[in-house]
Amino acid sequence: MLYLWLKALHIITMVCWFAGLFYLPRLFVYHAMSSDAASHERFCIMERKLYRGIMIPSMIATLGLGIWLLSLNSAYYFTQGWMHAKLTLVVALVIYHHLCSAQLKRFARGENSRSHVFYRWFNEAPVLALLGIVILVVVRPF
């Protein structure tokens, strides 16, 4: 029963984390398109609150619950190729998360040099990771 509760909580926190991973780069798109000081300040506040209030706690909870789930049957999971691929994608997501943080800080300092088009493409990376992770966990192709 513990396994099922942990799995449910892991999925819930993962959904919350992905909500932030999808929305923060979308805010970057709009922020890059804005030109007035009031919009800049508003976007900085929104980005900071999303990152600190939702994304960081959700990422920590997702990773913590995932590690706990792995520890319940590590002998099995670490022999599965799909799990290695999933964990690789999770590491890539953590890196992406930190790239978002770095970009958030650039915006806050007024040092953004990228266009809204860049952020539209940047916004697609977590979608690809999510597709890969869900397929790996559900289908377990190898």
Side-chain angles (χ1 to χ4, degrees), residues 47-117:
E47 291 160 359
R48 185 181 69 246
K49 287 184 176 186
L50 174 63
Y51 188 78
R52 291 182 184 169
I54 295 173
M55 291 176 66
I56 290 175
S58 297
M59 179 187 69
I60 291 169
T62 300
L63 296 174
L65 290 162
I67 291 167
W68 195 353
L69 283 165
L70 278 172
S71 73
L72 295 178
N73 197 358
S74 59
Y76 166 73
Y77 286 125
F78 286 121
T79 63
Q80 302 301 303
W82 63 268
M83 181 56 76
H84 291 276
K86 176 197 173 190
L87 293 175
T88 300
L89 289 173
V90 170
V91 168
L93 279 173
V94 171
I95 292 168
Y96 181 85
H97 178 103
H98 290 291
L99 289 172
C100 286
S101 172
Q103 193 55 51
L104 183 147
K105 291 172 186 173
R106 281 188 204 97
F107 270 115
R109 292 188 309 259
E111 298 174 356
N112 176 53
S113 60
R114 296 187 168 122
S115 74
H116 66 95
V117 175

Side-chain angles (χ1 to χ4, degrees), residues 7 10-11 14-15 18 22 82-83 85-87 89-90 93 125-142:
K7 190 172 170 182
H10 179 65
I11 292 168
M14 183 269 310
V15 168
F18 267 94
F22 291 151
W82 63 268
M83 181 56 76
K86 176 197 173 190
L87 293 175
L89 289 173
V90 170
L93 279 173
V127 174
L128 298 174
L130 179 64
L131 288 170
I133 289 170
V134 169
I135 290 168
L136 287 166
V137 171
V138 174
V139 179
R140 299 180 180 187
F142 48 89

